[in-house]
Amino acid sequence: MMPRPQHEYHHNERRHDDQLFRDQTTLIRLLEHLDHAVEDASTTHSPDDLFADRVRFNSVAMEMTQAQECARRLSEDYRRIMPNLPWAELRALRNALVHDYDEIDVESLYDTVTQDVPALATRLRPVVAAILRET
């Protein structure tokens, strides 16, 4: 295996060791998960419709779980420098969806994805757009 050119290796190593870079990348992924959840739920008209389509239900639930995990992984410093974003809401997504015995509450999932998430994504979109312009 040939070694990488020194400048390329150094650049990539620095970027991945940089907490701000990791936080920004995580925020981008978080928005992607929210967008996928909304898209996947968009063809359903009620919690019962969502629950009746097992694949769609599981997809929406997984996207929301992944979004919450992304929110949980953001550093405290990153959350502090961006206080205008709803960090507590983002980190609490799982609690809103999962209740006794780790069962997903389909009504909470549907309401969250169809009502709360679009507004949340709208707040995150300009931040993510600014990050993408920087790279």
Side-chain angles (χ1 to χ4, degrees), residues 64-80:
M64 292 301 295
T65 300
Q66 291 299 316
Q68 186 276 335
E69 285 299 312
C70 287
R72 189 184 59 74
R73 281 194 306 268
L74 292 168
S75 72
E76 189 66 39
D77 288 340
Y78 191 71
R79 290 192 303 271
R80 228 186 330 261

Side-chain angles (χ1 to χ4, degrees), residues 94-114:
R94 184 179 186 280
N95 297 338
L97 304 175
V98 179
H99 296 284
D100 295 330
Y101 308 108
D102 288 332
E103 289 185 23
I104 295 174
D105 179 340
V106 67
E107 288 186 21
S108 292
L109 177 64
Y110 183 81
D111 291 346
T112 299
V113 171
T114 59

Side-chain angles (χ1 to χ4, degrees), residues 84-95:
N84 59 327
L85 294 176
W87 300 120
E89 294 168 31
L90 285 167
R91 296 178 84 184
L93 285 173
R94 184 179 186 280
N95 297 338

Side-chain angles (χ1 to χ4, degrees), residues 42-67:
S42 68
T43 61
T44 63
H45 303 291
S46 70
D48 290 337
D49 283 353
L50 180 60
F51 190 69
D53 185 338
R54 182 182 58 81
V55 172
R56 189 167 303 279
F57 173 79
N58 286 336
S59 176
V60 171
M62 181 56 76
E63 293 292 354
M64 292 301 295
T65 300
Q66 291 299 316

